[in-house]
Amino acid sequence: MAKAGKRTNPIILQAGMSIGTNAAEMDDDFLLPCFVHYPPVDLCLNVASRGMVVEGRTGSGKTAILKYIDAKTTNSVTIDPTEMAMSYVTNSDVLRFLQAIGADLDLTFQVLWKHVLCIEFIRLRYNVQSETTSKSVFGSIFDRFSRDDRKKRSVTYLKNWEGKFWITMDQNIKELTEKVENEVKAEVGAEVEKFKLGGQYEKRLSSDKKSEIVARIRKIIHADQLAELAGVIDILAELEREDKKHFDETKYYIMIDRLDENWVDVSIRFKLIRALIETLKSFRRITDLKILVALRSDVLERVIQETADISFQREKLDDYFIRLKWDKSLLKQLIDTRIQTLFKQRYTQNAIHFADVFPYNVGNVDPFEYMIERTLMRPRDIIAFVNQCLKTAEGTYEVTGQTIRKAEIEFSRIRRDALEQEWQSAFPTIERLLDFIGKKQKPVIGLSEFVDGNELDELALAIDSDASLSEDPLHVAAKNYCASSKPDHYDLLRVLVGTLYRVGAVGVKLRNGNRYLYSHNDEPILSIAQITEDTRIRIHPMLWGSYRFPMKHD
């Protein structure tokens, strides 16, 4: 039944109607005109805030925020990692040798990032666009600090690069990598040459020999370059303090996006991202500079998996993360603004809102409430659902409840595919897990129900026997399960449920009387120790359409 007594949308819904695209980088018609300014945006703009890593799931608005800041500020630059020519680093025989013998490349990669960020800040702050400008800027820096013995090495470092700071970033990276290569070859060149000949030379080296080489390399590369670059940052911070004496309060923004793309070989990608995160802290000394790195939650998960050691702990970095979280009112504001923009741009100057286009309940449920429950509270989800409804309703004036249900089937199928793609890197078993819980053909399942029958045994065997899944945390649990003469079903189920909760596929009710917890609303990670035999899971309503579940639920 319609909420209004008369039609409030005078325009017929036509083919091709859309309130935006899924990708922010392709959403120019709507992104800035319909941008919702919410608390994380202020944290990103505030140079005094520690937050530097903009973390969120795919579609949560990371790129949108960076594009907004770039459009609204006068001193900003965005680094595209695909333009950094990191393939040179990947293909370096020297670095591949060091990685093969177990050398920690983290400090080497930190040197690279510090160098790149120093270059970009100097370019941005002093508007360096040519070799002449570059030499002029560095000449003044040299004159200012050349008599300071504490900064002599750092000034020399800048002097060596003064004619190269204006060249492209890939050239800088190539030259910096070549410098590392030359220093390593001078120390262990013979070993690198033997490695290049093949035959898995690194495996024939004894542990003692590897340790000796690693120790020698650490001495000649890391300490000197890191100290020099730390001094460069100090110089830039001191220049900033002098500018402030002259009431120069200019703020600068360096932004890095697209780290989830194939900008460098996977063998070093997550190590490079970890090194970048570690590097950011040192630039806090430059208080008029804000570095912002957009990072997908699943990529962060993979970084932690791939580079896990005692020095890299999630909680130690919390202050540096800006986590994106939306609520219903913000998402409703976003959708209303986009619908108004759509109709104003193409059809009418009259104010058309969501309620005008979606005036009918779905059963007894408000249409927006129904739709938002089937999202992970992200802009991309609700935009995609509205677009699917508009497509399904082509040729009519309004979107009915029946139309929403029909559109939900396709929306849910696409969301499931997107969920699998989003988390495939961190959890390669994700598709199998979604198939596994779908076999029960109902939205709410008690853990004890998975113990009956052979389905859990079959899943464990399939995961254990698939070598391509070895990076998945569930692989170890499946291997232990299969190796045990009396396997504990719940040991495996705890890891399974923890993974499904983490990716947002299920809500978890830990015990009777509790509410369901969801990773997008509550804690992003659930301790598996909390999961018991009494735990129940509720498949997220976003996926119900893909499973063809009945619309009634508990």
Side-chain angles (χ1 to χ4, degrees):
M1 183 176 180
K3 294 178 181 177
K6 63 178 181 178
R7 179 176 297 133
T8 52
N9 172 29
I11 304 299
I12 195 167
L13 302 178
Q14 300 177 1
M17 271 192 167
S18 165
I19 60 167
T21 65
N22 285 339
E25 57 270 21
M26 305 293 289
D27 199 26
D28 292 340
D29 289 343
F30 289 90
L31 191 148
L32 293 178
C34 305
F35 188 83
V36 174
H37 194 111
Y38 69 125
V41 181
D42 293 324
L43 289 175
C44 290
L45 285 166
N46 184 0
V47 295
S49 163
R50 286 192 174 190
M52 302 171 86
V53 180
V54 187
E55 186 219 338
R57 298 187 59 155
T58 180
S60 59
K62 301 179 298 299
T63 296
I65 290 177
L66 298 196
K67 286 177 72 70
Y68 174 82
I69 291 174
D70 187 52
K72 297 299 180 181
T73 57
T74 55
N75 296 287
S76 63
V77 63
T78 299
I79 296 175
D80 185 345
T82 62
E83 297 178 358
M84 292 176 66
M86 283 295 190
S87 57
Y88 189 86
V89 178
T90 305
N91 296 328
S92 165
D93 290 322
V94 169
L95 295 184
R96 288 195 301 112
F97 170 67
L98 294 180
Q99 191 168 0
I101 63 173
D104 184 1
L105 295 179
D106 185 57
L107 294 179
T108 300
F109 292 156
Q110 284 190 46
V111 167
L112 188 151
W113 280 118
K114 284 187 178 181
H115 180 90
V116 166
L117 291 170
C118 283
I119 288 175
E120 287 305 309
F121 179 58
I122 291 169
R123 281 175 171 167
L124 181 63
R125 182 169 185 168
Y126 298 103
N127 195 27
V128 176
Q129 297 180 355
S130 68
E131 185 172 4
T132 302
T133 311
S134 176
K135 289 185 176 180
S136 172
V137 168
F138 288 103
S140 63
I141 293 175
F142 183 79
D143 291 342
R144 168 67 179 78
F145 292 100
S146 61
R147 297 177 185 83
D148 189 333
D149 290 338
R150 296 171 302 169
K151 295 183 174 62
K152 185 173 294 184
R153 288 173 57 191
S154 298
V155 170
T156 301
Y157 184 93
L158 286 173
K159 189 70 175 174
N160 290 338
W161 284 89
E162 67 175 348
K164 302 172 185 176
F165 268 55
W166 64 277
I167 62 177
T168 60
M169 191 184 300
D170 59 331
Q171 289 175 285
N172 266 284
I173 287 170
K174 182 178 178 180
E175 292 203 22
L176 192 65
T177 306
E178 286 177 342
K179 182 175 185 295
V180 173
E181 288 176 323
N182 291 336
E183 290 174 340
V184 172
K185 286 178 181 178
E187 187 71 19
V188 292
E191 305 294 343
V192 174
E193 289 302 315
K194 292 174 185 176
F195 171 78
K196 287 168 60 178
L197 294 173
Q200 296 184 318
Y201 173 70
E202 70 279 7
K203 292 186 178 180
R204 302 198 302 272
L205 288 172
S206 67
S207 297
D208 288 345
K209 182 64 174 178
K210 289 179 183 177
S211 298
E212 176 203 333
I213 295 173
V214 168
R216 288 163 65 188
I217 297 303
R218 188 182 297 118
K219 288 179 181 178
I220 64 168
I221 298 180
H222 302 148
D224 287 349
Q225 287 179 294
L226 281 174
E228 290 167 355
L229 282 163
V232 170
I233 294 172
D234 285 338
I235 286 172
L236 295 174
E238 189 166 332
L239 289 170
E240 174 210 28
R241 289 192 292 271
E242 291 181 1
D243 286 346
K244 285 188 174 181
K245 292 177 183 178
H246 298 91
F247 304 102
D248 182 355
E249 297 292 335
T250 305
K251 297 177 176 60
Y252 302 90
Y253 297 87
I254 297 177
M255 296 173 284
I256 305 175
D257 200 0
R258 303 178 67 184
L259 289 172
D260 55 309
E261 298 183 11
N262 294 322
W263 55 285
V264 69
D265 189 82
V266 71
S267 63
I268 64 168
R269 183 185 309 162
F270 303 107
K271 294 182 176 67
L272 279 165
I273 295 174
R274 170 197 162 138
L276 171 59
I277 294 171
E278 296 279 10
T279 297
L280 295 177
K281 294 178 287 186
S282 58
F283 283 88
R284 287 282 302 153
R285 283 173 277 172
I286 307 175
T287 58
D288 62 359
L289 170 64
K290 183 79 162 185
I291 301 174
L292 293 168
V293 177
L295 193 62
R296 269 184 10 204
S297 299
D298 59 295
V299 175
L300 175 62
E301 197 72 35
R302 187 69 185 273
V303 169
I304 292 170
Q305 288 177 16
E306 292 279 328
T307 65
D309 63 44
I310 195 168
S311 66
F312 192 72
Q313 298 175 17
R314 191 192 304 259
E315 58 271 17
K316 288 184 177 180
L317 299 169
D318 276 350
D319 287 347
Y320 294 94
F321 281 75
I322 300 171
R323 293 187 168 86
L324 303 189
K325 191 171 183 178
W326 293 75
D327 59 31
K328 289 181 184 179
S329 63
L330 286 169
L331 291 171
K332 182 63 161 50
Q333 179 186 342
L334 175 71
I335 295 303
D336 264 334
T337 306
R338 284 176 174 252
I339 286 178
Q340 289 180 48
T341 300
L342 167 66
F343 282 91
K344 282 184 178 180
Q345 283 180 344
R346 298 177 60 180
Y347 306 105
T348 177
Q349 289 302 306
N350 295 336
I352 304 294
H353 300 84
F354 176 87
D356 299 322
V357 185
F358 293 75
Y360 295 90
N361 284 347
V362 187
N364 295 320
V365 182
D366 174 88
F368 187 78
E369 290 292 328
Y370 183 92
M371 294 172 69
I372 204 68
E373 186 189 12
R374 282 149 179 78
T375 73
L376 295 176
M377 301 297 287
R378 303 177 294 188
R380 182 174 298 178
D381 294 345
I382 191 64
I383 290 170
F385 204 167
V386 170
N387 282 341
Q388 191 63 46
C389 290
L390 295 176
K391 180 178 180 182
T392 306
E394 286 175 8
T396 67
Y397 287 97
E398 297 138 338
V399 178
T400 66
Q402 184 179 3
T403 301
I404 293 174
R405 289 187 190 273
K406 185 177 179 181
E408 180 185 348
I409 302 299
E410 181 63 10
F411 165 77
S412 183
R413 182 193 66 78
I414 294 172
R415 287 300 93 199
R416 173 176 167 164
D417 288 346
L419 190 73
E420 291 177 5
Q421 293 170 18
E422 178 183 354
W423 290 97
Q424 180 67 35
S425 173
F427 304 113
T429 59
I430 181 63
E431 182 179 0
R432 294 173 188 261
L433 300 189
L434 293 177
D435 287 340
F436 177 71
I437 59 174
K439 289 178 180 178
K440 296 296 182 184
Q441 275 300 295
K442 58 180 183 178
V444 177
I445 312 166
L447 254 62
S448 58
E449 297 179 57
F450 290 117
V451 175
D452 300 329
N454 299 320
E455 292 172 346
L456 189 62
D457 293 345
E458 292 170 357
L459 176 69
L461 183 60
I463 294 174
D464 177 39
S465 59
D466 190 339
S468 69
L469 304 176
S470 59
E471 297 296 328
D472 194 297
L474 195 62
H475 189 266
V476 174
K479 183 175 289 296
N480 293 337
Y481 181 90
C482 293
S484 175
S485 57
K486 292 183 178 180
D488 186 331
H489 297 83
Y490 291 100
D491 281 350
L492 179 59
L493 284 170
R494 287 185 187 97
V495 181
L496 184 153
V497 170
T499 299
L500 288 170
Y501 173 87
R502 177 74 180 95
V503 304
V506 302
V508 175
K509 180 186 284 189
L510 295 173
R511 55 189 57 85
N512 289 334
N514 288 10
R515 65 178 179 85
Y516 282 99
L517 304 174
Y518 290 92
S519 60
H520 63 281
N521 284 331
D522 302 292
E523 291 299 319
I525 297 175
L526 189 66
S527 169
I528 61 173
Q530 297 176 267
I531 301 171
T532 68
E533 298 178 16
D534 297 326
T535 295
R536 296 168 67 81
I537 66 170
R538 179 176 184 255
I539 298 175
H540 195 288
M542 179 182 70
L543 301 173
W544 290 3
S546 67
Y547 290 127
R548 301 299 179 111
F549 286 159
M551 295 304 153
K552 292 182 179 180
H553 55 88
D554 83 346

